[in-house]
Amino acid sequence: MNGRAHFDYLVPELPYSFCPGCSHGQVVDAIGEALAAIAPDPTRAVVVSDIGCVGLVDKHFAVNTFHGLHGRAITYGIGLKLARPELHVIVVVGDGGCGIGGTHLVQAARRDVDMTVVVFNNFNYGMTGGEHSCTTPTNALTSSTPAGNREQPLDLCALTIAAGGGFIARSPAFDGQLGDTLARAMTYRGFAMVDVWEICTAYFMPWNDFKRKSLLALSESSGMEFGVLRERPPREPEELVPGRPMPRVELAPDYQADVWGPLPALIAGSAGQKIKTAATMLGRAAIRAGLHATQKDDYPITVKAGHSISELMIAPAPIRFTGIDAPVLAAVLTSDGLQRSRAKLATMPREAIIYIDQHLEFDDVAATVRRVDFKTVGRRVGRENVALWAVARMLVDHGGIPLAALEDTVARFTPDKYRDKAAMAVREGATIESTAVVPAASG
Amino acid sequence: MREFVDGNSALVRAAMDSGCDFFAGYPITPATSILLEAVREFPQHGGVALQAEDEIASIGMCIAAAMAGRKVLTATSGPGMSLYSESIGLAVMGEVPMVIVDTQRMGPATGGATSTADGDVQFARWGTAGGYPVLVLAPTDVQSTYRITRHAFNLSEQYRAPVLILSSKEIAQTRQTVDLERDSGMPVIDRRLHDGAMPYLPYRVEDPADVPAFSPIGGTHQVRFTTSVHDERGVITGDRSEIDAKLRHLDQKIGAAVDELALVDSDIDEDASDLVIAYGAAAMAATEAVEQLRADGHRVSLFVPYTIWPVPERAIRSAAKGHTRVVVPEHNLGQYAREIERVLPAHDLVRINRIDGDLIRPGKIVEKLAS
C-alpha cells in the first residue's frame, strides 16, 4: 500500500466506547502510536483480541483484526504467524485472558513466537461485572471476592521471563513512554510482552479506592517493577532439518500364493516382543504373494507391559469385515497372550494349528497343538525375533505363502542393524526339523 | 500401488494430496499417528506441522492459519473433541474452512483408549453451543478414508465450513491392503477468492445459502474475523435483522445443500423388503452380511451413508422405498437409528448395538434378518 507514512492505523473519528475514565483508550492510542512509528504494511498487520473489555478494541484498528474465544488469543496469534511468517502480529489480552489462557502465554514465551502480547491489566474482569482475576492483589474487594481476595496475584512478567520470553516489560497505562515501549516490543524479534497496568473505573477503582497513587504503590509493595525487565538478544532462526519422510513402499505381487479362502491368523504374546512387527511382516508377505491382508492389534494402554495380540486376515479377495473369530493359525508365546486370546483359541477348528509355549497350561481344544520351547528359540534368535520365528513356522507349515515372500519382506523392512538376525530367525523358524518344536506326547 | 497401511496413514496422505499444509494437534490414542506422520511429512513439502500444548491451542492455531489462507487439519479422539467444542463453534461462526478428525474410541470421558466405538455420532453434530449445522463424514475402511478425506477438504473449501471426519480406532489402526493412488486423481477444490472489489466485506452473501468469498489475513484486503455474531463487515452487531440474517445463513449454507452433500453408496435390490443402513466400521460387517444373505437367496438391500450430517434424508427415503424393514447396526446405543426412525417413521426399525469395544459380526446381522 502506498502512502503508508500517512496511514491511520487507528480508525479516525471513532470514539471509544469504554467506561468514562477507563485507560483502555490510552493503551489503544499508544498501540496506534507504536504502529505509526514502525509503519508496517497494514495488510500484513493483525491485531488479535481476546474477550473482555479489551475485545472492544478491534473496530478501532484499520489493520486485520481477529477476535476469538476467551483465553485463546495467543493461540490464534501463533497460528497466524506460523501460517504467514511475514505477518506483524499483536495480541491484545486482558488479565482475564491471561488467567484462562495462562498456559498459552507460557507456551508462546517458551516457543519464542515472534509476536507482541499487550496485556490490558486492570486487576479484575471488567466486562462481566468486576470479578477477581489472576492479577487481583491479595485482600482486594471484587464482586467474586466480597470478603477480600485470598489468592496471590500472578506476576505475568516473572512468569514469561521464566518461560524464556525475550522482551518483557511493564508499564502503567498513563506512562507517556508507553508508545515507545510498545514500539520496542513490536520491533523485537521474538516473544515480547508488555504488562500494562490500568485502572478500571467501573469496578476495581471504586471498590478498592484504587487510583494512580495506589497503582504506583502496588508496584512498590508487590515488587512488580515497571520498565523493560528483560531484553535478551533475539535467538537466531535455525534451519530445521525435516525428519525422515514416511516410507511408501509398493508391495508388488511378485510371488504366487496357494490360498483359496480366508486365512485368519493370530499372534499372542506380551508387549515388547515385537508381535505387531512380526504380524505386519506376515501381512506384507501375503500381499507380495498377491493376496489381501488386514492387521489389527490389541494391547493395553501401557507400553512394554501386558499383552500384545495381533490378528491378521489373509484372503485371495478384498477383505471387508476385519474381525477374526476362529483363527486357522495361531502362535501363543506367553501367558499374557494366552489369557487374552484363550476364548478365540477354543473356537479354532480341528485342522487349525496352535503353536504354544511348552510351559503354558493349555489343552482341551479341537485344534492341533504344537508345543514350542520359545525360551530356547529366544536364546538362539534373540527375544525380539521370537514372534518372527513363529510367523516363519506358521507360514511353512501352512504352505500357502512362499517363504521367499517373507524373506524378501523381512530383508526390505528390517533396519540394517537388525536385519541379519531377523533373517536368521526366519530361516530357523522355517526349518522343518526344528528341535524347538517339542514332540507331541503319544496318544 | 499396493500398500499395507492403516486409516491414519491414508488420512494424512489424502490431506497432503488435497494441498493441506498446516497441522496442529495433541497426542491422543488412537489419533496420535496422524500427528506423528504429519510432523514428518508436512515439512518435506514446505508445510507446517506441530504438536501444540493442548487440543484447544491446536484447533485455535488451525483456525487462525486457515484464515491466513492455509488448508488445515487437526485430529483427536473423544476427549479431545470435548475440548474442541467451543472452537468448532468459532469455525462455524467465522466460516472457517478446516478439517477436524475425530478418531472415535470408547467413551464417555477417558473411556477405553484402545477400544473402538462410534459413540460420537450425535456429539459431532450437536457438540457446540447454538446448534448450527456441521458437516460430518464417516469413512468405512482404509481405502474409503483416503477418498472421504479428499472430499472433506473439498467440501470445507467449497462451503467455507469445518468438516468433521468420524473415523474410529478400528479404521484408524487396522492395516489394510489398499491402493491409495487409485483415488489420487480426484479434483482439488479451493475456496472462492474475493474478486478484488473494494471494500472487502468478508461475510457478504447475495443469498443466504451462498458462501462468502474469502480473502486471507495477510492478503490484499483488510479482513475482520470475530467470534461474535456480526454483520457482513465482520463487525459485531446487535441489530436483530442482521443477527437473523447471519444465523439463518449459517443454517442455510449447509441446509440448502443437503442433497449435494449426500455422499452415499446405494446397493438396492428392487424386490427386497429388507434394507440394511450402516456407516463407519459397521458398514463392512453389513457388506459381508448382505453378501452372505444374498448367497443364501435372501433379498436384501444395503445403504451406506458417508455423509452423516446433514442427514441425507432424500437419499435415505429413496433407498427405503419399497422396503418394509430397516436394520441399523451401530457401535453405540442407536445414535443414528434415531435419525433413521425420524426420516422413515413408517418402516419397521431393527437396531443392532454393540458397545463393549468389539465389532458387530456379519453373522449377527444375518441372524437378525433371518428371523
Side-chain angles (χ1 to χ4, degrees), chain A residues 43 58 61 63-65 67 76 83-84 104 111 243-244 246 248 251 287 291 293-297 321-322 325, chain B residues 2 13 40-41 44 53 56 64 68 70 90 169-170 174-177 218-219 222-227 288 360-361:
Chain A
T43 59
D58 51 342
F61 287 100
V63 297
N64 297 289
T65 58
H67 180 66
Y76 309 128
R84 277 193 192 245
H104 307 308
R111 275 200 198 97
R244 287 172 297 121
M246 298 300 299
R248 289 187 199 192
L251 297 170
I287 298 171
L291 302 167
T294 69
Q295 175 185 350
K296 206 190 320 237
D297 310 307
F321 179 70
T322 61
D325 284 315
Chain B
R2 291 168 101 224
R13 191 84 65 82
R40 283 171 68 177
E41 286 288 322
Q44 309 286 339
E53 58 267 31
I56 300 176
R70 301 269 191 160
L90 177 62
K169 184 260 173 192
E170 166 58 24
T174 298
R175 283 184 191 260
Q176 293 187 312
T177 315
Q222 179 199 23
V223 179
R224 292 201 185 280
F225 179 93
T226 178
T227 180
E288 239 182 66
I360 293 169
R361 294 312 196 245

Short mmCIF file of all heavy atoms in Angstrom, two decimals, chain A residues 43 58 61 63-65 67 76 83-84 104 111 243-244 246 248 251 287 291 293-297 321-322 325, chain B residues 2 13 40-41 44 53 56 64 68 70 90 169-170 174-177 218-219 222-227 288 360-361:
data_model
loop_
_atom_site.label_atom_id
_atom_site.label_comp_id
_atom_site.label_asym_id
_atom_site.label_seq_id
_atom_site.Cartn_x
_atom_site.Cartn_y
_atom_site.Cartn_z
N THR A 43 -1.87 -4.33 5.47
CA THR A 43 -2.49 -5.60 5.10
C THR A 43 -1.72 -6.77 5.71
O THR A 43 -2.18 -7.90 5.70
CB THR A 43 -2.55 -5.80 3.57
OG1 THR A 43 -1.22 -5.77 3.05
CG2 THR A 43 -3.40 -4.74 2.90
N ASP A 58 -11.11 -4.04 18.62
CA ASP A 58 -10.79 -4.37 17.23
C ASP A 58 -11.35 -3.39 16.20
O ASP A 58 -10.69 -3.09 15.21
CB ASP A 58 -11.03 -5.84 16.84
CG ASP A 58 -12.39 -6.39 17.19
OD1 ASP A 58 -13.09 -5.80 18.04
OD2 ASP A 58 -12.76 -7.44 16.64
N PHE A 61 -9.02 -0.56 15.01
CA PHE A 61 -7.81 -0.79 14.23
C PHE A 61 -8.15 -0.95 12.75
O PHE A 61 -9.06 -1.69 12.39
CB PHE A 61 -7.05 -2.01 14.75
CG PHE A 61 -6.37 -1.76 16.06
CD1 PHE A 61 -6.94 -2.18 17.25
CD2 PHE A 61 -5.17 -1.06 16.10
CE1 PHE A 61 -6.32 -1.92 18.47
CE2 PHE A 61 -4.54 -0.80 17.31
CZ PHE A 61 -5.12 -1.23 18.50
N VAL A 63 -6.24 -2.31 10.63
CA VAL A 63 -5.47 -3.43 10.08
C VAL A 63 -6.37 -4.66 10.17
O VAL A 63 -7.54 -4.54 10.52
CB VAL A 63 -4.15 -3.62 10.87
CG1 VAL A 63 -3.26 -2.40 10.74
CG2 VAL A 63 -4.43 -3.95 12.34
N ASN A 64 -5.82 -5.82 9.85
CA ASN A 64 -6.61 -7.04 10.02
C ASN A 64 -6.90 -7.22 11.51
O ASN A 64 -6.05 -6.91 12.35
CB ASN A 64 -5.83 -8.26 9.52
CG ASN A 64 -5.54 -8.18 8.03
OD1 ASN A 64 -6.43 -8.32 7.21
ND2 ASN A 64 -4.28 -7.92 7.69
N THR A 65 -8.10 -7.70 11.81
CA THR A 65 -8.42 -7.95 13.21
C THR A 65 -9.03 -9.34 13.35
O THR A 65 -9.77 -9.81 12.49
CB THR A 65 -9.39 -6.90 13.79
OG1 THR A 65 -10.59 -6.89 13.01
CG2 THR A 65 -8.77 -5.51 13.79
N HIS A 67 -10.84 -11.63 16.36
CA HIS A 67 -11.38 -11.66 17.73
C HIS A 67 -11.95 -13.05 17.96
O HIS A 67 -12.95 -13.44 17.35
CB HIS A 67 -12.46 -10.59 17.85
CG HIS A 67 -13.10 -10.50 19.19
ND1 HIS A 67 -12.42 -10.12 20.32
CD2 HIS A 67 -14.38 -10.76 19.59
CE1 HIS A 67 -13.25 -10.14 21.36
NE2 HIS A 67 -14.44 -10.51 20.95
N TYR A 76 -4.27 -18.03 18.44
CA TYR A 76 -4.55 -17.53 17.09
C TYR A 76 -3.34 -16.76 16.56
O TYR A 76 -2.97 -16.86 15.39
CB TYR A 76 -5.79 -16.63 17.08
CG TYR A 76 -6.99 -17.26 17.74
CD1 TYR A 76 -7.70 -16.58 18.72
CD2 TYR A 76 -7.40 -18.55 17.39
CE1 TYR A 76 -8.78 -17.17 19.36
CE2 TYR A 76 -8.48 -19.13 18.02
CZ TYR A 76 -9.16 -18.44 19.00
OH TYR A 76 -10.23 -19.02 19.64
N ALA A 83 1.48 -19.56 9.87
CA ALA A 83 0.92 -19.68 8.53
C ALA A 83 1.51 -18.63 7.59
O ALA A 83 1.73 -18.91 6.42
CB ALA A 83 -0.60 -19.54 8.58
N ARG A 84 1.71 -17.43 8.12
CA ARG A 84 2.29 -16.34 7.31
C ARG A 84 3.33 -15.63 8.16
O ARG A 84 3.02 -14.66 8.86
CB ARG A 84 1.20 -15.33 6.92
CG ARG A 84 0.44 -15.77 5.72
CD ARG A 84 -0.41 -14.64 5.16
NE ARG A 84 -1.33 -15.19 4.19
CZ ARG A 84 -1.32 -14.90 2.88
NH1 ARG A 84 -0.46 -14.01 2.41
NH2 ARG A 84 -2.18 -15.46 2.08
N HIS A 104 -1.22 -20.85 27.42
CA HIS A 104 -0.83 -20.40 26.07
C HIS A 104 0.21 -19.28 26.16
O HIS A 104 1.11 -19.20 25.33
CB HIS A 104 -2.06 -19.92 25.31
CG HIS A 104 -3.16 -20.94 25.28
ND1 HIS A 104 -2.94 -22.25 24.89
CD2 HIS A 104 -4.46 -20.87 25.63
CE1 HIS A 104 -4.07 -22.93 25.00
NE2 HIS A 104 -5.02 -22.12 25.45
N ARG A 111 8.16 -20.96 23.28
CA ARG A 111 8.44 -21.16 21.85
C ARG A 111 9.10 -19.95 21.23
O ARG A 111 9.52 -20.01 20.09
CB ARG A 111 7.13 -21.39 21.11
CG ARG A 111 6.65 -22.78 21.10
CD ARG A 111 5.66 -22.98 19.97
NE ARG A 111 4.94 -24.19 20.28
CZ ARG A 111 3.76 -24.21 20.87
NH1 ARG A 111 3.13 -23.12 21.17
NH2 ARG A 111 3.21 -25.38 21.15
N GLY A 243 12.44 -34.32 9.56
CA GLY A 243 12.63 -35.73 9.87
C GLY A 243 12.46 -36.57 8.62
O GLY A 243 12.07 -36.08 7.58
N ARG A 244 12.77 -37.86 8.76
CA ARG A 244 12.64 -38.76 7.60
C ARG A 244 11.18 -38.82 7.15
O ARG A 244 10.30 -38.90 7.99
CB ARG A 244 13.05 -40.18 8.00
CG ARG A 244 14.52 -40.40 8.19
CD ARG A 244 14.80 -41.80 8.76
NE ARG A 244 14.22 -41.99 10.07
CZ ARG A 244 13.33 -42.95 10.37
NH1 ARG A 244 12.95 -43.80 9.44
NH2 ARG A 244 12.85 -43.06 11.58
N MET A 246 7.74 -40.51 5.72
CA MET A 246 7.15 -41.84 5.91
C MET A 246 7.47 -42.68 4.68
O MET A 246 7.36 -42.20 3.56
CB MET A 246 5.63 -41.74 6.06
CG MET A 246 5.18 -40.94 7.26
SD MET A 246 5.74 -41.60 8.84
CE MET A 246 4.98 -43.21 8.82
N ARG A 248 6.99 -45.07 1.64
CA ARG A 248 5.87 -45.53 0.82
C ARG A 248 6.42 -46.66 -0.02
O ARG A 248 7.17 -46.41 -0.95
CB ARG A 248 5.38 -44.42 -0.12
CG ARG A 248 4.68 -43.34 0.59
CD ARG A 248 4.09 -42.37 -0.40
NE ARG A 248 3.81 -41.12 0.24
CZ ARG A 248 3.07 -40.15 -0.29
NH1 ARG A 248 2.57 -40.33 -1.50
NH2 ARG A 248 2.85 -39.05 0.36
N LEU A 251 4.00 -52.96 -2.54
CA LEU A 251 4.08 -54.40 -2.29
C LEU A 251 3.58 -55.10 -3.56
O LEU A 251 2.44 -55.54 -3.64
CB LEU A 251 3.21 -54.76 -1.07
CG LEU A 251 3.69 -54.11 0.23
CD1 LEU A 251 2.66 -54.32 1.33
CD2 LEU A 251 5.03 -54.68 0.66
N ILE A 287 0.65 -60.03 0.87
CA ILE A 287 0.34 -59.09 -0.22
C ILE A 287 1.32 -59.26 -1.36
O ILE A 287 0.95 -59.20 -2.54
CB ILE A 287 0.33 -57.64 0.30
CG1 ILE A 287 -0.77 -57.47 1.37
CG2 ILE A 287 0.11 -56.64 -0.83
CD1 ILE A 287 -0.72 -56.15 2.12
N LEU A 291 -2.05 -61.70 -2.38
CA LEU A 291 -3.23 -61.81 -1.54
C LEU A 291 -3.58 -60.45 -0.93
O LEU A 291 -2.86 -59.48 -1.09
CB LEU A 291 -2.97 -62.82 -0.41
CG LEU A 291 -2.59 -64.23 -0.87
CD1 LEU A 291 -2.04 -65.04 0.29
CD2 LEU A 291 -3.79 -64.93 -1.50
N ALA A 293 -4.61 -58.53 2.79
CA ALA A 293 -4.40 -58.74 4.23
C ALA A 293 -4.93 -57.57 5.04
O ALA A 293 -5.01 -56.44 4.54
CB ALA A 293 -2.90 -58.91 4.51
N THR A 294 -5.35 -57.89 6.26
CA THR A 294 -5.66 -56.82 7.22
C THR A 294 -5.00 -57.21 8.54
O THR A 294 -4.84 -58.40 8.83
CB THR A 294 -7.17 -56.63 7.46
OG1 THR A 294 -7.68 -57.76 8.18
CG2 THR A 294 -7.93 -56.45 6.18
N GLN A 295 -4.61 -56.22 9.30
CA GLN A 295 -3.99 -56.49 10.60
C GLN A 295 -4.57 -55.57 11.64
O GLN A 295 -4.72 -54.37 11.42
CB GLN A 295 -2.48 -56.26 10.54
CG GLN A 295 -1.80 -56.41 11.90
CD GLN A 295 -0.33 -56.08 11.86
OE1 GLN A 295 0.24 -55.89 10.79
NE2 GLN A 295 0.29 -55.99 13.02
N LYS A 296 -4.89 -56.15 12.77
CA LYS A 296 -5.45 -55.39 13.88
C LYS A 296 -4.73 -55.79 15.15
O LYS A 296 -4.49 -56.97 15.38
CB LYS A 296 -6.92 -55.76 14.00
CG LYS A 296 -7.74 -54.68 14.62
CD LYS A 296 -9.11 -55.17 14.93
CE LYS A 296 -9.70 -56.06 13.87
NZ LYS A 296 -10.94 -55.53 13.39
N ASP A 297 -4.39 -54.81 15.97
CA ASP A 297 -3.62 -55.10 17.18
C ASP A 297 -4.42 -54.75 18.42
O ASP A 297 -5.20 -53.82 18.44
CB ASP A 297 -2.32 -54.27 17.16
CG ASP A 297 -1.57 -54.42 15.85
OD1 ASP A 297 -1.31 -55.57 15.46
OD2 ASP A 297 -1.28 -53.39 15.21
N PHE A 321 -15.01 -57.35 6.27
CA PHE A 321 -15.04 -57.41 7.72
C PHE A 321 -13.70 -57.92 8.23
O PHE A 321 -13.22 -58.96 7.80
CB PHE A 321 -16.17 -58.33 8.18
CG PHE A 321 -16.25 -58.45 9.68
CD1 PHE A 321 -16.66 -57.36 10.44
CD2 PHE A 321 -15.88 -59.62 10.32
CE1 PHE A 321 -16.71 -57.45 11.81
CE2 PHE A 321 -15.94 -59.72 11.70
CZ PHE A 321 -16.36 -58.61 12.44
N THR A 322 -13.08 -57.15 9.12
CA THR A 322 -11.71 -57.48 9.52
C THR A 322 -11.62 -58.27 10.82
O THR A 322 -10.53 -58.61 11.26
CB THR A 322 -10.89 -56.19 9.71
OG1 THR A 322 -11.53 -55.42 10.74
CG2 THR A 322 -10.85 -55.37 8.44
N ASP A 325 -12.72 -64.58 14.26
CA ASP A 325 -13.28 -65.37 15.36
C ASP A 325 -12.58 -66.69 15.56
O ASP A 325 -12.30 -67.08 16.67
CB ASP A 325 -14.79 -65.56 15.14
CG ASP A 325 -15.52 -64.29 15.49
OD1 ASP A 325 -15.19 -63.71 16.54
OD2 ASP A 325 -16.39 -63.86 14.72
N ARG B 2 0.09 -51.16 -4.49
CA ARG B 2 -0.48 -51.80 -3.30
C ARG B 2 0.37 -51.54 -2.08
O ARG B 2 1.59 -51.72 -2.09
CB ARG B 2 -0.62 -53.30 -3.54
CG ARG B 2 -1.70 -53.57 -4.59
CD ARG B 2 -1.65 -55.01 -5.05
NE ARG B 2 -2.67 -55.82 -4.41
CZ ARG B 2 -2.47 -57.04 -3.92
NH1 ARG B 2 -1.29 -57.59 -3.98
NH2 ARG B 2 -3.45 -57.71 -3.36
N ARG B 13 -2.07 -38.97 4.05
CA ARG B 13 -1.75 -38.95 2.62
C ARG B 13 -2.78 -38.14 1.85
O ARG B 13 -2.46 -37.31 1.01
CB ARG B 13 -1.72 -40.39 2.11
CG ARG B 13 -1.14 -40.58 0.73
CD ARG B 13 0.37 -40.68 0.78
NE ARG B 13 0.79 -41.88 1.49
CZ ARG B 13 0.84 -43.09 0.96
NH1 ARG B 13 0.51 -43.28 -0.30
NH2 ARG B 13 1.25 -44.11 1.68
N ARG B 40 6.42 -35.47 10.34
CA ARG B 40 7.50 -35.94 9.47
C ARG B 40 7.27 -35.53 8.02
O ARG B 40 8.20 -35.16 7.31
CB ARG B 40 7.61 -37.47 9.55
CG ARG B 40 8.30 -37.94 10.82
CD ARG B 40 8.22 -39.43 11.00
NE ARG B 40 8.99 -40.15 10.00
CZ ARG B 40 9.13 -41.47 9.99
NH1 ARG B 40 8.55 -42.20 10.92
NH2 ARG B 40 9.84 -42.06 9.06
N GLU B 41 6.00 -35.63 7.59
CA GLU B 41 5.69 -35.43 6.17
C GLU B 41 5.52 -33.98 5.76
O GLU B 41 6.01 -33.58 4.70
CB GLU B 41 4.39 -36.18 5.83
CG GLU B 41 4.53 -37.68 5.75
CD GLU B 41 5.30 -38.11 4.52
OE1 GLU B 41 5.13 -37.51 3.45
OE2 GLU B 41 6.11 -39.04 4.64
N GLN B 44 8.35 -31.79 4.56
CA GLN B 44 9.01 -32.21 3.32
C GLN B 44 8.51 -31.38 2.13
O GLN B 44 9.19 -31.25 1.12
CB GLN B 44 8.72 -33.70 3.00
CG GLN B 44 8.97 -34.68 4.13
CD GLN B 44 10.44 -34.92 4.39
OE1 GLN B 44 11.28 -34.69 3.52
NE2 GLN B 44 10.77 -35.37 5.58
N GLU B 53 0.30 -27.28 22.77
CA GLU B 53 0.29 -27.60 24.20
C GLU B 53 -0.95 -28.34 24.66
O GLU B 53 -0.93 -28.97 25.72
CB GLU B 53 0.49 -26.33 25.05
CG GLU B 53 -0.54 -25.24 24.85
CD GLU B 53 -0.10 -24.22 23.80
OE1 GLU B 53 0.63 -24.62 22.86
OE2 GLU B 53 -0.49 -23.04 23.90
N ILE B 56 -6.99 -27.37 22.65
CA ILE B 56 -7.58 -26.06 22.41
C ILE B 56 -6.61 -25.19 21.62
O ILE B 56 -7.00 -24.49 20.68
CB ILE B 56 -7.99 -25.40 23.75
CG1 ILE B 56 -9.02 -26.28 24.47
CG2 ILE B 56 -8.54 -24.01 23.51
CD1 ILE B 56 -9.43 -25.78 25.84
N ALA B 64 -6.82 -20.03 12.93
CA ALA B 64 -6.12 -18.82 12.51
C ALA B 64 -5.35 -19.06 11.21
O ALA B 64 -5.37 -18.22 10.30
CB ALA B 64 -5.18 -18.35 13.61
N ALA B 68 -5.58 -17.32 7.48
CA ALA B 68 -4.42 -16.74 6.79
C ALA B 68 -4.21 -17.40 5.44
O ALA B 68 -3.25 -17.10 4.74
CB ALA B 68 -3.16 -16.89 7.65
N ARG B 70 -4.27 -20.97 4.69
CA ARG B 70 -3.81 -22.36 4.60
C ARG B 70 -4.97 -23.33 4.60
O ARG B 70 -6.05 -23.04 5.10
CB ARG B 70 -2.93 -22.68 5.79
CG ARG B 70 -1.71 -21.80 5.91
CD ARG B 70 -0.54 -22.40 5.20
NE ARG B 70 0.70 -21.72 5.51
CZ ARG B 70 1.90 -22.25 5.33
NH1 ARG B 70 2.02 -23.48 4.86
NH2 ARG B 70 2.97 -21.55 5.62
N LEU B 90 -16.60 -21.61 16.89
CA LEU B 90 -15.89 -20.46 16.30
C LEU B 90 -15.71 -20.66 14.80
O LEU B 90 -15.89 -19.74 14.01
CB LEU B 90 -14.53 -20.28 16.98
CG LEU B 90 -13.66 -19.16 16.43
CD1 LEU B 90 -14.34 -17.80 16.60
CD2 LEU B 90 -12.29 -19.14 17.10
N LYS B 169 -11.07 -46.11 16.06
CA LYS B 169 -9.87 -46.91 16.32
C LYS B 169 -9.79 -48.06 15.32
O LYS B 169 -8.73 -48.36 14.79
CB LYS B 169 -9.93 -47.44 17.76
CG LYS B 169 -8.69 -48.23 18.18
CD LYS B 169 -8.87 -49.72 18.12
CE LYS B 169 -7.52 -50.42 18.40
NZ LYS B 169 -7.55 -51.86 18.07
N GLU B 170 -10.96 -48.65 15.04
CA GLU B 170 -11.00 -49.79 14.14
C GLU B 170 -10.41 -49.44 12.78
O GLU B 170 -9.58 -50.15 12.24
CB GLU B 170 -12.46 -50.25 14.00
CG GLU B 170 -12.75 -51.19 12.86
CD GLU B 170 -11.96 -52.48 12.90
OE1 GLU B 170 -11.50 -52.89 13.98
OE2 GLU B 170 -11.76 -53.08 11.82
N THR B 174 -6.21 -50.21 11.90
CA THR B 174 -6.18 -51.50 11.23
C THR B 174 -5.46 -51.29 9.91
O THR B 174 -5.80 -50.40 9.14
CB THR B 174 -7.61 -52.02 10.97
OG1 THR B 174 -8.27 -52.22 12.22
CG2 THR B 174 -7.60 -53.34 10.21
N ARG B 175 -4.46 -52.13 9.67
CA ARG B 175 -3.78 -52.05 8.37
C ARG B 175 -4.61 -52.81 7.35
O ARG B 175 -5.14 -53.88 7.67
CB ARG B 175 -2.41 -52.72 8.45
CG ARG B 175 -1.34 -51.91 9.13
CD ARG B 175 -0.03 -52.66 9.03
NE ARG B 175 0.99 -52.08 9.87
CZ ARG B 175 1.94 -51.27 9.44
NH1 ARG B 175 2.01 -50.94 8.16
NH2 ARG B 175 2.84 -50.79 10.27
N GLN B 176 -4.70 -52.26 6.17
CA GLN B 176 -5.42 -52.97 5.12
C GLN B 176 -4.65 -52.85 3.81
O GLN B 176 -3.80 -51.96 3.65
CB GLN B 176 -6.83 -52.38 4.96
CG GLN B 176 -7.70 -52.64 6.19
CD GLN B 176 -9.13 -52.22 6.01
OE1 GLN B 176 -9.40 -51.11 5.56
NE2 GLN B 176 -10.06 -53.08 6.37
N THR B 177 -4.96 -53.74 2.89
CA THR B 177 -4.34 -53.72 1.57
C THR B 177 -5.06 -52.65 0.77
O THR B 177 -6.26 -52.75 0.55
CB THR B 177 -4.53 -55.08 0.88
OG1 THR B 177 -4.25 -56.10 1.82
CG2 THR B 177 -3.63 -55.20 -0.33
N GLY B 218 -3.50 -11.09 5.73
CA GLY B 218 -2.15 -11.02 5.17
C GLY B 218 -2.18 -10.94 3.66
O GLY B 218 -1.15 -10.87 3.01
N GLY B 219 -3.40 -10.94 3.10
CA GLY B 219 -3.54 -10.82 1.65
C GLY B 219 -3.70 -9.37 1.24
O GLY B 219 -3.17 -8.47 1.87
N GLN B 222 -8.02 -5.80 3.92
CA GLN B 222 -8.19 -5.91 5.37
C GLN B 222 -9.30 -6.90 5.65
O GLN B 222 -10.36 -6.87 5.01
CB GLN B 222 -8.56 -4.55 5.97
CG GLN B 222 -8.75 -4.62 7.47
CD GLN B 222 -9.55 -3.44 8.03
OE1 GLN B 222 -10.31 -2.78 7.33
NE2 GLN B 222 -9.37 -3.19 9.31
N VAL B 223 -9.06 -7.77 6.62
CA VAL B 223 -10.05 -8.77 6.99
C VAL B 223 -10.40 -8.62 8.47
O VAL B 223 -9.51 -8.46 9.30
CB VAL B 223 -9.49 -10.20 6.76
CG1 VAL B 223 -10.51 -11.26 7.18
CG2 VAL B 223 -9.10 -10.40 5.30
N ARG B 224 -11.69 -8.71 8.75
CA ARG B 224 -12.12 -8.74 10.16
C ARG B 224 -12.75 -10.10 10.42
O ARG B 224 -13.58 -10.58 9.66
CB ARG B 224 -13.15 -7.64 10.44
CG ARG B 224 -12.57 -6.24 10.37
CD ARG B 224 -13.43 -5.26 11.12
NE ARG B 224 -12.98 -3.89 10.99
CZ ARG B 224 -11.98 -3.36 11.69
NH1 ARG B 224 -11.29 -4.09 12.55
NH2 ARG B 224 -11.65 -2.08 11.52
N PHE B 225 -12.32 -10.71 11.51
CA PHE B 225 -12.81 -12.02 11.91
C PHE B 225 -13.25 -11.90 13.35
O PHE B 225 -12.52 -11.35 14.18
CB PHE B 225 -11.67 -13.04 11.79
CG PHE B 225 -12.05 -14.43 12.21
CD1 PHE B 225 -12.51 -15.35 11.28
CD2 PHE B 225 -11.92 -14.84 13.54
CE1 PHE B 225 -12.86 -16.65 11.67
CE2 PHE B 225 -12.27 -16.12 13.94
CZ PHE B 225 -12.73 -17.03 12.99
N THR B 226 -14.46 -12.38 13.65
CA THR B 226 -14.91 -12.28 15.02
C THR B 226 -15.79 -13.44 15.42
O THR B 226 -16.56 -13.98 14.62
CB THR B 226 -15.66 -10.96 15.29
OG1 THR B 226 -16.11 -10.95 16.65
CG2 THR B 226 -16.87 -10.80 14.38
N THR B 227 -15.66 -13.82 16.67
CA THR B 227 -16.45 -14.89 17.24
C THR B 227 -17.86 -14.41 17.59
O THR B 227 -18.77 -15.22 17.81
CB THR B 227 -15.75 -15.44 18.50
OG1 THR B 227 -16.52 -16.48 19.09
CG2 THR B 227 -15.53 -14.35 19.54
N GLU B 288 -20.55 -57.59 4.27
CA GLU B 288 -20.36 -59.04 4.26
C GLU B 288 -21.65 -59.77 4.57
O GLU B 288 -21.94 -60.82 3.97
CB GLU B 288 -19.29 -59.45 5.28
CG GLU B 288 -18.15 -60.16 4.62
CD GLU B 288 -17.09 -60.64 5.58
OE1 GLU B 288 -17.40 -61.52 6.41
OE2 GLU B 288 -15.97 -60.11 5.46
N ILE B 360 -19.39 -55.57 15.72
CA ILE B 360 -20.59 -56.33 15.36
C ILE B 360 -20.19 -57.29 14.24
O ILE B 360 -19.53 -56.91 13.28
CB ILE B 360 -21.69 -55.36 14.85
CG1 ILE B 360 -22.16 -54.47 16.01
CG2 ILE B 360 -22.87 -56.14 14.26
CD1 ILE B 360 -23.05 -53.32 15.57
N ARG B 361 -20.59 -58.55 14.41
CA ARG B 361 -20.23 -59.56 13.42
C ARG B 361 -21.22 -59.58 12.27
O ARG B 361 -22.42 -59.37 12.48
CB ARG B 361 -20.23 -60.96 14.06
CG ARG B 361 -19.17 -61.21 15.14
CD ARG B 361 -17.86 -60.78 14.67
NE ARG B 361 -16.72 -61.26 15.40
CZ ARG B 361 -15.89 -60.46 16.09
NH1 ARG B 361 -16.16 -59.18 16.23
NH2 ARG B 361 -14.82 -60.96 16.66
#
